[in-house]
Amino acid sequence: MRILILSLALFFTCAPFTCGSSFGQAPDARETPRPHSTESLEEELEHQMEGKGHKEVHGERDFFWMEYQRQPWRNPQEQRRMLKILLAWLILDAILVLYVFFIRKVRVRGKVP
Amino acid sequence: MRPANIWQIGRLTLCEWTRKKVFYMFFIVALAFFGLAFTLNFFNLGPQARFTMDLSLTAMGLFTAILSLGLSLSAIPQDLENKTAWCLLSRPVSRFDYLCGKFLGTVLLILIILSILTVELVVVTFLKENRLHWTILQAGLLLWVESLVLTAVVLTFSLPFSPPMNAAFSSFVYAVGHLSSTYIQALSQESRNVAGGIPVLLLKLALPQLQYFDLKSAVVQGYPVPLGYTGEAVLYGLLYALMVLLLGELLLSRKDL
């Protein structure tokens, strides 16, 4: 019961901070065009992905908009990065499976008691 | 490794969890919260459905995290303390089967609870808006995959660490895993010229990228999420959980019971 009360208290304290997307920080892209921007978002995004930092567009620093654009389900660059990570884990898993189920078994079997 | 052994241990673990009453309380509170969320009137601003979906999905994420943390934290230490693990391992059951069985039982319980909550949210949203939000199902699925990763991490950490330390480390993994790539990018840029750059890079590569499983903003803004993306995220979660479980097996095989 104590855990339950603690969790509920934690939830009601944290919920307003975690529900960011419906508080108007990330507006609906179909309805609200980005104000005063003449450059494409992709161009700006590439600029930031290259590590040059956030590019100031007309003196406006709309961090939340950038954050919204970088959602992995929405951004092809993030998806490519995700594929690379996926490949890395696949290789790592294959090595571990080989070690746990084959190499180690052979080594254990070959030991003289 | 024998799938029959894993299934039997998983079934036993599921039965064990269903006997714990505190989780029924959690479940009933979450069920009631989702059902009643639409009766709340948020100052008549208009986008109530969006707000409620956001709040409900946040609650689901937190609920899943608490559940997987609470269940897996004591799963193996409790078995070792009660000596039930000895009875199991004295039979022709490998330690990997035992670990996978515990994992399977926990994630099955989370799957059952998450399915009910997701279907409830879909139905409630349909009743309110008269249209089906299929993205909620994808979000529910990815939340479950996130719980797979978290459960595997907590189970593996429970082998070398005591439960309080495990809770601290696992919460850290959960919190940092949810930091978006923007923050990590900013961190790595800040520490590029100092020795801190390498730990940040390792942190970035080794910790699970839990933001891949977060479809909250897609659901709230009403964007369709490509099925290919969902598949990739599921595959990523499965691979990560498998890797952590294999590391757990390496730790468990060396543990002196």
Side-chain angles (χ1 to χ4, degrees):
Chain A
M1 190 52 93
R2 265 183 298 176
I3 297 174
L4 182 73
I5 293 165
L6 192 71
S7 315
L8 283 176
L10 194 74
F11 167 68
F12 284 112
T13 318
C14 298
F17 299 104
T18 45
C19 308
S21 35
S22 62
F23 277 111
Q25 299 289 11
D28 195 333
R30 292 167 304 183
E31 293 165 8
T32 321
R34 195 167 170 278
H36 314 299
S37 174
T38 47
E39 294 184 33
S40 73
L41 280 164
E42 284 76 16
E43 197 183 322
E44 192 177 339
L45 196 65
E46 269 174 24
H47 189 271
Q48 197 181 18
M49 295 291 268
E50 282 166 13
K52 291 172 190 166
H54 185 86
K55 195 177 181 180
E56 296 278 334
V57 181
H58 297 280
E60 194 179 21
R61 194 181 172 87
D62 42 359
F63 176 79
F64 288 106
W65 180 268
M66 294 300 296
E67 181 64 24
Y68 181 60
Q69 286 297 314
R70 288 180 80 141
Q71 294 287 334
W73 49 268
R74 196 179 151 77
N75 186 338
Q77 268 175 318
E78 281 291 327
Q79 282 175 23
R80 274 199 294 277
R81 187 171 158 261
M82 187 176 168
L83 269 178
K84 279 181 200 164
I85 293 175
L86 203 66
L87 194 68
W89 287 127
L90 195 67
I91 294 166
L92 205 65
D93 272 329
I95 293 168
L96 270 173
V97 166
L98 270 176
Y99 177 72
V100 170
F101 293 110
F102 298 101
I103 299 171
R104 202 182 52 167
K105 288 264 162 67
V106 171
R107 206 183 284 168
V108 170
R109 216 176 285 156
K111 257 187 193 166
V112 177
Chain B
M1 191 180 91
R2 284 185 186 175
N5 284 348
I6 296 174
W7 173 243
Q8 285 302 329
I9 297 170
R11 221 162 51 93
L12 277 172
T13 313
L14 187 62
C15 286
E16 202 183 318
W17 295 145
T18 49
R19 284 187 203 122
K20 293 200 172 185
K21 298 204 170 43
V22 69
F23 298 109
Y24 285 109
M25 284 292 292
F26 265 114
F27 180 53
I28 291 165
V29 167
L31 214 61
F33 176 76
F34 288 9
L36 292 173
F38 271 98
T39 62
L40 297 174
N41 199 349
F42 293 106
F43 312 111
N44 271 336
L45 281 176
Q48 290 171 21
R50 272 186 187 188
F51 188 88
T52 316
M53 278 192 288
D54 197 355
L55 204 62
S56 302
L57 283 170
T58 308
M60 258 164 86
L62 276 173
F63 176 70
T64 314
I66 291 170
L67 203 60
S68 52
L69 198 75
L71 289 175
S72 359
L73 207 61
S74 58
I76 296 176
Q78 205 174 16
D79 267 12
L80 293 176
E81 204 178 301
N82 299 339
K83 298 184 174 63
T84 39
W86 295 3
C87 299
L88 274 172
L89 293 172
S90 61
R91 292 172 178 275
V93 173
S94 72
R95 290 184 180 195
F96 187 61
D97 291 354
Y98 171 70
L99 187 68
C100 286
K102 284 279 162 196
F103 174 74
L104 184 70
T106 312
V107 296
L108 274 180
L109 181 71
I110 296 172
L111 176 67
I112 294 167
I113 291 174
L114 259 183
S115 317
I116 297 170
L117 291 180
T118 310
V119 170
E120 190 199 358
L121 188 58
V122 170
V123 171
V124 167
T125 320
F126 177 74
L127 290 176
K128 189 75 183 174
E129 285 201 316
N130 263 341
R131 72 185 179 103
L132 280 169
H133 287 266
W134 294 112
T135 336
I136 295 176
L137 294 180
Q138 283 170 292
L141 173 71
L142 290 189
L143 270 179
W144 182 64
V145 178
E146 185 185 293
S147 81
L148 294 188
V149 173
L150 194 63
T151 307
V153 168
V154 181
L155 276 179
T156 302
F157 279 0
S158 74
L159 297 168
F161 303 122
S162 62
M165 275 183 82
N166 184 2
F169 286 138
S170 308
S171 311
F172 172 77
V173 168
Y174 181 74
V176 180
H178 268 289
L179 284 182
S180 73
S181 51
T182 311
Y183 297 110
I184 305 233
Q185 185 92 4
L187 264 177
S188 55
Q189 272 170 14
E190 271 177 22
S191 51
R192 184 171 283 172
N193 299 327
V194 287
I198 296 167
V200 169
L201 189 71
L202 284 176
L203 209 68
K204 190 175 156 184
L205 291 174
L207 286 172
Q209 312 266 334
L210 295 180
Q211 84 270 11
Y212 287 163
F213 308 120
D214 187 10
L215 291 186
K216 211 166 53 184
S217 46
V219 175
V220 172
Q221 306 294 342
Y223 284 115
V225 177
L227 281 176
Y229 173 79
T230 316
E232 278 173 30
V234 169
L235 189 64
Y236 169 72
L238 290 177
L239 284 174
Y240 197 92
L242 176 69
M243 195 230 17
V244 176
L245 281 179
L246 286 168
L247 286 177
E249 203 275 337
L250 288 174
L251 286 172
L252 190 62
S253 66
R254 284 172 194 177
K255 197 175 171 78
D256 188 16
L257 298 175

